Amino acid sequence: MAKNTLSFVCQNCGAAYNRWQGKCESCGEWNTLAEEDVSGNASVPLSVRAKRKGRLFNLESLTGESRDAPRIISGMSELDRVTGGGFVRGSVILLGGDPGIGKSTLLTQAASMLAKAKHRAVYISGEEAVAQVRLRAERLGLATAPVQLASETSVEDIIATLSEGTPPRLVIIDSIQTMWTDTVESAPGTVTQVRASAQALIRFAKKSGTALILVGHVTKDGQIAGPRVVEHMVDAVLSFEGEGSQQFRILRAVKNRFGPTDEIGVFEMTGLGLREVTNPSELFLSERDLGTPGTAVFAGVEGTRPVLVELQALVAPTSLGTPRRAVVGWDPSRLSMVLAVLEAHCGIKLSGHDVYLNVAGGLRIQEPAADLAAAAALVSSLANAPLPVDAVYFGEISLSGAVRPVAQTSARLKEATKLGFARAILPESSSADSSGTTLALHPSSSLVGVVSEIAARGKRRGPAPPPQNRDDG
Ligand code: TYD
Ligand code: MG
């Protein structure tokens, strides 16, 4: 008798249970279990499978030669930077991002670039009709690029078609959630279907040496919906981010077997598609509020590239029992830490104030080096003391209130000089590797020094002007 292979699979994390329950014990999500047939290729009886003998294969040494250049350069330098120097042959990339962020646009542009360079590039859309994809290509001015286009969702048909003729250099599947394969019986979009479809496509990519890009949708909380399981199967996971209301888009590697994971690619969404931004600092600083209290320029580094960005803080008195702490683009727990250090070591009481911190331009900062700039912006807002407009800040703050050194000091200083800044407030022990800079350096060993300097500027300037009476009637 055939074994019953029905089981209940969590659509969020892929954990399987043999009876239904309301909450997934593995990821803690509610109502995510759905009944699925997880038998896979159960059509081959066990007795036959047991008799089959394994095929012998060659074992090789580590020093063997690998033929031909393993990377395919897309020609979009921001994309190539994030992938680590181009798509690796036979590798699989998962591209995640919110709906409407520009994933299809980015990939249409990349496919067109490769096709124009005489590579076979295939774009399979499971979401849009061929006419819609064409319309987008027309808008991008790429309608003449010899990209091979289809609107298909059956994995078997796709693989059969791709296996014809010369193997493609690049295949784009937009999106993996819309694909389905005959080998499993679950509905499209379920974890089992997504996993089986991805497996079949990945097998094809590895065998044919094709670079494969799978598009994955992202849920509200930033997870790649359903196929968390796919993240483990692919070589690289890229995420395409940005604020819907702003035109900047940031491509970030979350996982990369063939390159670094701290590089970012910066794009701007224009009426004619995505434009590469080769100097992001200029872009992030383009709309600076000069001379307003509460803003500090942070000299950061993303991967190998220095990026200058403005941090904006607002510290306002509150009547709430629990004051608000809101932060966009930075780690909220780092903000809490900086506030605690300001309170404990610099005598700044913020328990009666709401605190807001924003990273301008929609960038998300992960470096601890932003601590000093954040602290400077906060104190500047509280003391109503604008920071010097020609100064950049960087340095990590320790719980003891010391300013700790950070890496790549000279790259940060060079970028600041290039953009016309005249001074840098930096950790004392970092100023050693800053030889040759023309910036005036203000090395600081503790946060107290930086804070008292800003507070002194505020005293010279006097208290904040009273709010204007806006009652026009
Ligand atoms: P799209 O690539 O379809 O997003 P995704 O595939 O991630 O869902 O991009 C959708 C948005 O991009 C849409 O709101 C319109 C905008 N857009 C432009 O602003 N300029 C353009 O040239 C294109 C093609 C799209
Ligand atoms: Mg799309």
Side-chain angles (χ1 to χ4, degrees):
M1 208 185 81
K3 206 168 137 242
N4 184 8
T5 50
L6 278 182
S7 110
F8 294 87
V9 179
C10 171
Q11 301 299 305
N12 184 51
C13 69
Y17 302 88
N18 47 21
R19 62 191 169 78
W20 190 86
Q21 53 198 58
K23 183 182 179 185
C24 172
E25 279 157 18
S26 162
C27 65
E29 288 291 314
W30 288 90
N31 267 335
T32 52
L33 261 55
E35 193 172 3
E36 285 187 22
D37 184 348
V38 292
S39 54
N41 52 359
S43 50
V44 185
L46 203 60
S47 54
V48 176
R49 270 190 275 165
K51 272 194 210 121
R52 185 177 161 266
K53 252 181 109 185
R55 181 179 58 85
L56 300 181
F57 56 86
N58 292 334
L59 297 166
E60 315 217 0
S61 75
L62 281 174
T63 53
E65 266 178 48
S66 297
R67 278 146 284 131
D68 62 23
R71 289 201 187 252
I72 308 156
I73 313 256
S74 76
M76 297 175 82
S77 59
E78 293 295 298
L79 177 61
D80 289 335
R81 181 203 312 279
V82 177
T83 52
F87 304 123
V88 175
R89 288 200 188 157
S91 76
V92 184
I93 294 174
L94 178 67
L95 175 68
D98 291 331
I101 202 79
K103 301 182 292 298
S104 306
T105 309
L106 177 71
L107 295 178
T108 308
Q109 288 180 247
S112 305
M113 294 284 272
L114 276 185
K116 280 185 178 163
K118 306 256 178 329
H119 295 301
R120 184 179 174 203
V122 184
Y123 190 107
I124 310 267
S125 178
E127 301 190 333
E128 293 166 293
V130 168
Q132 282 173 290
V133 182
R134 276 203 194 120
L135 212 64
R136 182 186 293 116
E138 238 162 67
R139 181 170 171 182
L140 300 171
L142 296 169
T144 54
V147 176
Q148 300 181 336
L149 183 64
S151 175
E152 264 305 327
T153 53
S154 158
V155 170
E156 279 73 29
D157 295 354
I158 292 171
I159 292 178
T161 311
L162 296 180
S163 309
E164 290 280 295
T166 52
R169 279 290 161 81
L170 176 72
V171 173
I172 290 158
I173 303 286
D174 189 0
S175 65
I176 187 66
Q177 276 100 340
T178 54
M179 296 293 137
W180 63 278
T181 158
D182 295 337
T183 54
V184 292
E185 267 165 29
S186 326
T190 56
V191 169
T192 315
Q193 265 297 353
V194 167
R195 182 163 37 195
S197 303
Q199 240 157 19
L201 290 164
I202 291 170
R203 212 176 308 126
F204 168 78
K206 301 276 172 212
K207 219 168 66 190
S208 62
T210 301
L212 174 68
I213 303 183
L214 306 172
V215 174
H217 289 290
V218 164
T219 55
K220 279 192 278 346
D221 47 354
Q223 307 264 314
I224 293 180
R228 291 254 34 205
V229 275
V230 178
E231 288 188 19
H232 304 293
M233 297 156 61
V234 298
D235 300 304
V237 180
L238 307 186
S239 109
F240 205 32
E241 307 164 354
E243 295 291 318
S245 55
Q246 276 177 337
Q247 68 273 41
F248 316 129
R249 300 283 183 272
I250 288 156
L251 185 67
R252 197 184 282 279
V254 182
K255 154 184 172 177
N256 195 350
R257 284 187 188 146
F258 304 115
T261 53
D262 50 4
E263 289 285 4
I264 60 166
V266 184
F267 297 88
E268 186 182 357
M269 181 62 96
T270 69
L272 295 171
L274 291 160
R275 190 179 69 80
E276 294 178 57
V277 177
T278 41
N279 192 343
S281 305
E282 264 167 29
L283 182 108
F284 291 128
L285 294 179
S286 61
E287 281 161 35
R288 270 182 79 195
D289 292 332
L290 292 175
T292 1
T295 63
V297 176
F298 165 52
V301 170
E302 294 283 344
T304 53
R305 189 163 49 164
V307 175
L308 264 54
V309 60
E310 186 182 72
L311 302 190
Q312 305 164 341
L314 178 64
V315 179
T318 181
S319 52
L320 296 176
T322 318
R324 284 189 60 113
R325 305 283 184 250
V327 44
V328 178
W330 202 41
D331 183 0
S333 54
R334 282 214 85 86
L335 174 66
S336 308
M337 195 204 81
V338 169
L339 292 176
V341 174
L342 282 173
E343 195 144 353
H345 296 289
C346 308
I348 292 182
K349 296 271 172 283
L350 290 163
S351 51
H353 290 79
D354 287 337
V355 173
Y356 303 90
L357 189 80
N358 178 37
V359 179
L363 188 70
R364 214 181 64 223
I365 299 180
Q366 279 157 346
E367 271 191 293
D371 292 353
L372 189 62
L378 291 167
V379 177
S380 158
S381 174
L382 181 73
N384 188 37
L387 300 173
V389 292
D390 58 356
V392 296
Y393 292 78
F394 61 90
E396 183 179 343
I397 295 172
S398 72
L399 287 177
S400 64
V403 179
R404 297 177 35 123
V406 295
Q408 308 203 51
T409 299
S410 58
R412 296 173 206 267
L413 294 176
K414 217 180 274 169
E415 180 78 359
T417 315
K418 206 167 87 192
L419 287 158
F421 287 87
R423 46 184 138 171
I425 291 81
L426 75 172
E428 193 157 49
S429 33
S430 286
S431 52
D433 54 345
S434 57
S435 52
T437 180
T438 53
L439 293 181
L441 301 180
H442 300 259
S444 9
S445 56
S446 77
L447 186 58
V448 182
V450 179
V451 167
S452 55
E453 203 165 297
I454 299 170
R457 290 175 69 87
K459 288 219 187 74
R460 262 179 269 139
R461 191 167 178 263
Q468 275 188 349
N469 192 354
R470 296 281 302 272
D471 191 9
D472 299 327

